[in-house]
Amino acid sequence: MTMTLAFDVYGTLVDPMGMSRLLAEDAGDSAEAVAALWREKQLEFSFRKGLMKVYEDFGVCTRQALRYAMATHKLPLSEQRENELMAAYLSLPAFDDALPALKSLKGQYPLFAFSNGSYPALEKVLGHNNLLDQFEGLVSVDDIKSFKPDPAVYTYARRATGSWEKPLCLVSSNAWDVIGARSAGLLAVWVKRDPGKVFEDWGIEPSAVINSLSELPSIMKNL
């Protein structure tokens, strides 16, 4: 029975910290700190909106998080600059290992992109990096108006990828996403991009741990 692979996008295939280069114009030496806070709050805001049942798409969370990060660092943010940075977010750079890994897996497994992002945003950022054509389809939480790690989102991913009767494996660099998927009964591979990152001790373990997507084809045989 062929396993289906569902790839997280932000942080796994494309790098949100790529915004730090553009933010250098606004924040100078603090650009990386601003980019990191932007990403942190983007996720936090999505989690909170999911719990509160007041869904707004991921782009709204991203924009609100940008405003928060800039305000926290006491940096000006005009409407024009905000729109420029939001547009640039749709062209985040892919990690170097993303395209080669997807190409090596394509044809062996059904591949899907599975994200908190909306379909237009996913099409833009994946298309920008020549990743879009590697997937059989996209799965966005926008369809059910909630966010990962809501169990309903992972259940929806099973349905959307046609994986009710066969295994579905999430591939994600986000430990919270891996824990959410495992808790919902999926297999999940943690891409430990940061060697210093610690996996939260919740008594829920990843199905496998890799340091790069280049390792994925070889470890698939053992899942």
Side-chain angles (χ1 to χ4, degrees):
M1 187 177 294
T2 303
M3 183 181 300
T4 298
L5 295 178
F7 288 80
D8 173 64
V9 175
Y10 298 101
T12 303
L13 298 177
V14 302
D15 185 8
M17 288 302 292
M19 290 303 299
S20 60
R21 180 180 60 81
L22 288 177
L23 285 166
E25 178 182 328
D26 308 272
D29 292 342
S30 298
E32 286 196 9
V34 174
L37 182 60
W38 184 2
R39 171 63 171 165
E40 176 188 332
K41 285 295 176 177
Q42 175 198 50
L43 293 173
E44 180 189 324
F45 291 174
S46 70
F47 297 159
R48 286 162 55 186
K49 288 175 190 288
L51 286 168
M52 293 166 63
K53 307 300 182 187
V54 289
Y55 179 83
E56 294 178 285
D57 78 40
F58 204 50
V60 174
C61 300
T62 303
R63 187 179 292 272
Q64 291 172 340
L66 169 61
R67 292 172 179 169
Y68 178 91
M70 296 292 277
T72 297
H73 284 267
K74 297 180 171 54
L75 296 169
L77 182 64
S78 68
E79 181 178 353
Q80 178 182 347
R81 184 57 176 160
E82 178 181 302
N83 289 334
E84 289 173 355
L85 290 169
M86 286 296 298
Y89 207 88
L90 298 175
S91 301
L92 286 172
F95 289 103
D96 291 341
D97 57 0
L99 184 57
L102 291 174
K103 283 184 172 180
S104 68
L105 292 162
K106 187 176 182 180
Q108 299 185 58
Y109 305 92
L111 307 180
F112 289 82
F114 170 38
S115 177
N116 277 340
S118 66
Y119 287 111
L122 295 177
E123 289 169 358
K124 181 74 173 176
V125 75
L126 293 173
H128 174 75
N129 291 288
N130 299 315
L131 301 178
L132 187 59
D133 291 343
Q134 305 306 312
F135 295 106
E136 289 194 16
L138 308 178
V139 180
S140 169
V141 304
D142 203 39
D143 287 334
I144 61 168
K145 305 298 187 257
S146 188
F147 289 107
K148 301 177 186 179
D150 182 343
V153 171
Y154 301 102
T155 298
Y156 175 71
R158 282 190 184 278
R159 182 165 74 249
T161 60
S163 300
W164 281 121
E165 303 298 330
K166 60 183 179 180
L168 176 61
C169 180
L170 173 75
V171 180
S172 180
S173 68
N174 299 299
W176 56 265
D177 194 12
V178 171
I179 290 171
R182 294 291 287 141
S183 179
L186 276 62
L187 297 170
V189 174
W190 183 37
V191 187
K192 187 180 178 181
R193 292 202 173 277
D194 180 353
K197 202 77 168 177
V198 175
F199 196 85
E200 293 96 338
D201 183 10
W202 284 29
I204 300 173
E205 297 296 329
S207 306
V209 179
I210 57 178
N211 298 308
S212 166
L213 289 173
S214 63
E215 301 169 38
L216 190 57
S218 61
I219 66 101
M220 287 302 300
K221 306 165 190 166
N222 301 316
L223 290 181

